[in-house]
Amino acid sequence: MSSIETLIVIAVIIVVILVVAFMLITNRRQLKEIEAIDKLVNKIEKMHLERDIDRLDKMDLAGESLTTLNTWRKSYQEASTAKIPEVQHLVEEAADQNSNYHLFKARKNIKQAREIIKPTFEDARNTKAVFTELLESNRENQVQYESLIKIYREIRKMVLADSFDYGVALEQLENELAAMDSDFDEAKNLSSQGDHVEAKRVLSKIRMDLSNLQEELPKIREGHHQIESTFQDQLRELSTTYKNMLSEKYYITEVNILEEIKKIHTEIDKARDLLADLKMNELAEQNKKISNQIDALYSVLAKEYKARPFVEENQSKMFTLISHQQSASKKLVEKLKHIDESYELTHGELDESKHLEQEVNDMSRQYTVQTQNIADGKGVYSQIQDSWLRMLDRLREIDEEQKKMSQDVDGLYDSENVANDSINHFKQEVSLVYRRLQRRNLPGNPDSFVQMYTLVVNEIGHVSEELSRVRINMERISDELIQISDDVERLKREADDIINSANLVELTLQYSNKYSSNEAIKRAQQKALRLYQNDYNYKEALDTIATAIEKVEPGAYQRLENSYYSEQRQKEA
C-alpha cells in the first residue's frame, strides 16, 4: 500500500471516528433535553390544578371571583387536554428517534416540544398562584374584615363620645362613618355570595379610609380647638386689653385694632367652613394665617405697653438734656462770633455751630409737641421712645462735636502766642547767623547765602505783618512758620558751610606753601585766592587747592580736614 493510500485510509478512519463521536455527543445532549421536558410536564402534574378546581367549585364562587376561576380553568383545560398530550407525544417520538440515532428528526421534535412546554409551564404556574389566592381569599377576607370592623367600631364610639371636640366637622365625619358602614355590608355580602376578589377590593378601600380617618381625627380636634377656643380667647383678650389701654390714654395709630379683630373673625368663619368640609391641609394654612395676624396685634399692643415706662421715666431727663444742649449751643455760637472778629475760622466752625444749634432747637420743638400729645392722650409711646432714643444718640454726638470745636478755637489764642514767640526766636537766630559771618571778617558773602538770608528775612517780616492784622489766619500762619523753621535751618547750615570752607581754604593754602616751587600748586593757589577774595566762592576755592595738594601729596588734605573738624568738636564740647 502506497503512502497516499495509507493517508487516505487514516483520514477516512478519523472522519468515521469524528462522526461517531458527534452522534454520541448529540444523542446524549438530546436525551438530557428530553428528560428536562419530562420534568416540566411532571411539575405541572404535581401542581394538582385539577384538585384545586374541584375545591373552588365547592366554594360556590360568584362575580369577579367566578370570572377569574373560569378564565384560568379554561387555560388549564387547554393545557391538559391539548398542549401537554402533544408535548408528551413529541417527546416519545423524539426518544425513539434519538435511541435509533435518527438525530435530526429527534432534534426537530425536541425543539417543537420545548416551544410548547415553556409557555404552558408558565401559564400553569400562574394558574396555581391564582387558584391559591382564590382558595385563601375567603379566610383572609374574614380575618381582615374582623380586624377592620373592630377598628371602625372603636373610632365610631370615640367620635360619638367626644362629638363636641369635632364641632362643625361632626356631620361630615358621620357621613364618612356611614359610608364605611355601607362598605362593610357590601364586603360581607360579596363574601357570602362567593365573590371574594371583589370583597377584597372593598376591604382594601375600607382599610385606606380608616387609616386616613385615624390620621385626620387629631388634626380635626386641634383645628376645632384653635377656631372655637384658642382664637376666640385671644381675640377677647385683645379687645379687652385694647379698650383698657385707650382708657389709660394709650394712642395707637399703627393699625385699627378693632377693625383688624373683625377681619380676623371673618377669617375664622372661612376656617370653620374648611373644617366642616374636612379640608385639613387648607385648614392648617388658614389657621396659621390667623395665628400670625393675632400675634401681630399682640405685638402692636405689647410695643406700646413696653414703651410707656421708658417715656414716663425719661420725660424730665429729656427736657434737661435738650435744655442743657440748647444753652451750650447758644454759648458756642456767641463764642465763635467773638473769636471770628480776631481770627479767620477756616473750617466753617461758625456756620457749623449755627447748624448744630438749629438742630438742637428743632429737637426741642419736637419734644414739646410730643409731650403735649402725651398730655392730650394722643402720644404714640413707641414712636416717642424711638424718637427720644435717636435724640439721645444725636445729642451725644452734638455735644462731642461742640466740645471739640470749642477746644480747637480755644487753641487759637495759644497758637498766636506761640507764633509771636517763634517769630522773635527766628529773628534772633537769623541775626546770630549774620553776626557770626561778620565776626569772621570774610571778604564777602556768596550770592546763594545772600539770597537765602533775604528770603528768610522777608518770610519773617511777612508773618509778623500777618500777626499784627485785626483778623488773622492761624492755619496759614502755622504753615508759614513751619516753612520759616526749615529755611532758618538751611540758612544756618549754609553759614556753617561758608565758615568751615573758608577756614579750610586758609589752612590748606598755608600747607601748600611747602610745595610753592611746584607749578601746579602755584596755579592752584592763585585760582583759589581769586575765588576766595574776589568771587567769595569758598567751596570751589577749597576744592581747587585741595585737589592740587592731593595730587602732590595723597592723603594730605584728608588729614588737614580731620584735624580741623576734631578741633571744632572739642571747642563745641
Side-chain angles (χ1 to χ4, degrees):
M1 184 179 293
S2 66
S3 60
I4 294 175
E5 291 174 340
T6 302
L7 289 173
I8 292 172
V9 171
I10 292 172
V12 170
I13 293 171
I14 291 172
V15 170
V16 171
I17 292 172
L18 290 173
V19 170
V20 172
F22 172 76
M23 292 178 67
L24 288 172
I25 292 171
T26 301
N27 177 276
R28 184 167 296 180
R29 186 178 66 247
Q30 292 185 163
L31 181 61
K32 289 182 178 178
E33 290 179 355
I34 290 169
E35 291 174 351
I37 293 171
D38 281 335
K39 286 182 179 179
L40 288 177
V41 172
N42 291 333
K43 284 184 178 179
I44 292 174
E45 291 177 352
K46 289 180 179 179
M47 290 180 186
H48 303 297
L49 295 175
E50 189 68 40
R51 184 178 63 189
D52 289 345
I53 291 173
D54 291 339
R55 292 171 61 190
L56 289 168
D57 284 337
K58 294 176 180 178
M59 289 175 62
D60 294 327
L61 298 178
E64 186 66 27
S65 298
L66 181 58
T67 301
T68 302
L69 171 60
N70 289 335
T71 299
W72 288 97
R73 185 208 306 269
K74 183 178 179 181
S75 174
Y76 167 70
Q77 287 175 345
E78 183 181 353
S80 61
T81 58
K83 294 180 180 179
I84 293 176
E86 184 179 358
V87 169
Q88 289 173 334
H89 174 69
L90 291 170
V91 167
E92 288 174 1
E93 283 190 355
D96 290 340
Q97 291 164 348
N98 195 60
S99 62
N100 293 322
Y101 288 91
H102 297 154
L103 300 178
F104 291 104
K105 291 182 179 180
R107 179 80 235 152
K108 181 180 179 182
N109 288 328
I110 290 170
K111 181 181 179 182
Q112 188 177 354
R114 190 166 56 238
E115 289 175 352
I116 296 171
I117 195 61
K118 281 189 175 180
T120 301
F121 177 76
E122 288 300 320
D123 286 345
R125 191 160 59 177
N126 291 335
T127 301
K128 180 66 176 178
V130 171
F131 287 174
T132 300
E133 183 179 358
L134 287 172
L135 287 168
E136 294 178 355
S137 60
N138 184 37
R139 183 179 59 83
E140 290 179 354
N141 286 351
Q142 185 63 34
V143 172
Q144 188 175 15
Y145 180 92
E146 294 298 332
S147 174
L148 294 175
I149 196 70
K150 182 179 179 182
I151 296 171
Y152 166 78
R153 287 169 178 166
E154 289 175 353
I155 292 175
R156 186 175 183 84
K157 181 180 179 181
M158 179 180 67
V159 170
L160 293 175
D162 302 327
S163 58
F164 182 77
D165 292 340
Y166 300 99
V168 294
L170 182 61
E171 182 178 352
Q172 187 62 28
L173 283 175
E174 289 179 342
N175 290 339
E176 289 191 3
L177 289 170
M180 285 186 207
D181 195 40
S182 297
D183 288 341
F184 275 113
D185 289 340
E186 183 181 2
K188 188 173 182 180
N189 292 333
L190 288 169
S191 294
S192 65
Q193 293 169 9
D195 194 352
H196 303 294
V197 171
E198 187 63 20
K200 184 175 183 179
R201 184 192 65 77
V202 174
L203 288 172
S204 297
K205 176 180 178 296
I206 293 172
R207 184 173 65 252
M208 184 176 296
D209 291 342
L210 281 173
S211 177
N212 292 337
L213 186 58
Q214 284 178 311
E215 184 179 344
E216 284 184 348
L217 287 176
K219 297 178 182 178
I220 294 170
R221 288 195 296 270
E222 176 60 23
H224 171 72
H225 179 73
Q226 281 187 294
I227 292 171
E228 304 302 342
S229 181
T230 304
F231 294 158
Q232 301 298 335
D233 291 344
Q234 289 174 335
L235 291 177
R236 279 192 293 272
E237 182 180 39
L238 281 170
S239 180
T240 302
T241 302
Y242 174 66
K243 290 174 182 177
N244 290 337
M245 291 176 72
L246 288 180
S247 66
E248 294 173 6
K249 290 191 175 182
Y250 283 90
Y251 192 63
I252 298 172
T253 59
E254 185 174 343
V255 293
N256 186 324
I257 298 295
L258 296 180
E259 186 62 32
E260 289 300 313
I261 289 174
K262 289 180 181 179
K263 291 180 181 179
I264 293 173
H265 276 298
T266 301
E267 295 296 328
I268 290 174
D269 290 338
K270 293 179 183 178
R272 201 175 279 117
D273 292 339
L274 293 171
L275 179 63
D277 294 335
L278 297 186
K279 295 179 178 179
M280 302 313 297
N281 291 334
E282 292 91 333
L283 176 64
E285 293 179 4
Q286 180 69 6
N287 280 359
K288 183 177 181 180
K289 175 183 175 182
I290 294 169
S291 180
N292 291 338
Q293 291 173 334
I294 292 174
D295 288 343
L297 294 184
Y298 271 115
S299 296
V300 171
L301 297 183
K303 183 167 61 175
E304 297 305 318
Y305 187 79
K306 292 177 181 178
R308 183 166 184 169
F310 172 87
V311 172
E312 291 176 345
E313 291 171 9
N314 290 279
Q315 185 169 340
S316 60
K317 294 178 184 178
M318 286 298 299
F319 176 78
T320 301
L321 286 172
I322 294 173
S323 299
H324 170 75
Q325 205 61 47
Q326 277 185 301
S327 176
S329 299
K330 184 177 180 180
K331 288 179 181 178
L332 178 62
V333 171
E334 292 173 352
K335 177 180 179 180
L336 290 175
K337 284 180 179 178
H338 177 70
I339 292 175
D340 190 54
E341 295 174 356
S342 302
Y343 298 95
E344 293 182 19
L345 300 176
T346 56
H347 297 288
E349 290 89 346
L350 182 57
D351 288 340
E352 179 62 19
S353 66
K354 290 178 179 178
H355 172 75
L356 293 177
E357 181 184 30
Q358 182 61 45
E359 189 175 350
V360 174
N361 290 336
D362 289 342
M363 289 184 193
S364 178
R365 283 190 289 274
Q366 184 179 355
Y367 170 82
T368 301
V369 171
Q370 289 170 338
T371 52
Q372 185 59 51
N373 285 339
I374 293 171
D376 295 340
K378 294 183 179 180
V380 181
Y381 288 104
S382 62
Q383 295 177 3
I384 295 172
Q385 180 185 31
D386 293 341
S387 173
W388 287 4
L389 288 172
R390 288 193 298 271
M391 282 186 192
L392 287 171
D393 289 338
R394 185 57 186 146
L395 285 170
R396 279 192 290 268
E397 292 174 356
I398 290 173
D399 185 57
E400 291 175 2
E401 290 178 33
Q402 290 177 335
K403 285 180 179 178
K404 183 178 184 304
M405 205 179 297
S406 179
Q407 290 171 357
D408 289 344
V409 296
D410 284 345
L412 291 173
Y413 297 109
D414 295 335
S415 296
E416 183 182 6
N417 293 330
V418 170
N420 281 312
D421 292 342
S422 297
I423 287 298
N424 292 330
H425 176 69
F426 291 147
K427 287 178 180 179
Q428 291 175 1
E429 284 196 310
V430 171
S431 178
L432 288 173
V433 169
Y434 190 78
R435 286 201 301 270
R436 183 182 172 200
L437 282 175
Q438 283 183 324
R439 287 196 302 271
R440 183 61 181 76
N441 292 320
L442 294 173
N445 294 324
D447 290 341
S448 61
F449 176 80
V450 173
Q451 292 173 358
M452 189 67 196
Y453 176 79
T454 303
L455 173 66
V456 172
V457 169
N458 289 338
E459 287 177 339
I460 293 172
H462 175 71
V463 173
S464 296
E465 183 182 348
E466 285 192 334
L467 286 168
S468 65
R469 292 176 182 173
V470 176
R471 290 180 76 243
I472 60 179
N473 186 325
M474 281 309 305
E475 185 172 357
R476 184 169 63 247
I477 289 173
S478 296
D479 292 340
E480 291 175 349
L481 287 174
I482 292 172
Q483 183 61 50
I484 292 173
S485 177
D486 292 341
D487 291 344
V488 168
E489 290 301 316
R490 285 173 56 197
L491 185 68
K492 288 162 67 177
R493 287 195 299 271
E494 190 160 347
D496 289 341
D497 289 343
I498 291 170
I499 293 171
N500 290 330
S501 295
N503 291 339
L504 285 168
V505 168
E506 294 174 357
L507 286 173
T508 308
L509 284 171
Q510 291 175 7
Y511 187 82
S512 68
N513 287 332
K514 64 187 291 189
Y515 300 107
S516 59
S517 60
N518 187 299
E519 289 298 325
I521 294 295
K522 285 182 180 180
R523 288 194 298 273
Q525 287 176 334
Q526 291 171 358
K527 183 179 179 181
L529 284 171
R530 186 174 64 253
L531 290 168
Y532 183 91
Q533 295 174 347
N534 299 332
D535 298 338
Y536 317 135
N537 194 338
Y538 306 108
K539 291 181 182 178
E540 190 174 347
L542 178 60
D543 289 340
T544 300
I545 191 62
T547 302
I549 287 295
E550 281 295 309
K551 289 180 179 179
V552 175
E553 184 184 345
Y557 173 72
Q558 190 64 52
R559 289 195 303 274
L560 287 172
E561 186 181 48
N562 291 341
S563 175
Y564 170 78
Y565 282 115
S566 177
E567 289 178 4
Q568 293 300 314
R569 285 193 292 273
Q570 290 177 0
K571 288 179 182 179
E572 291 174 0

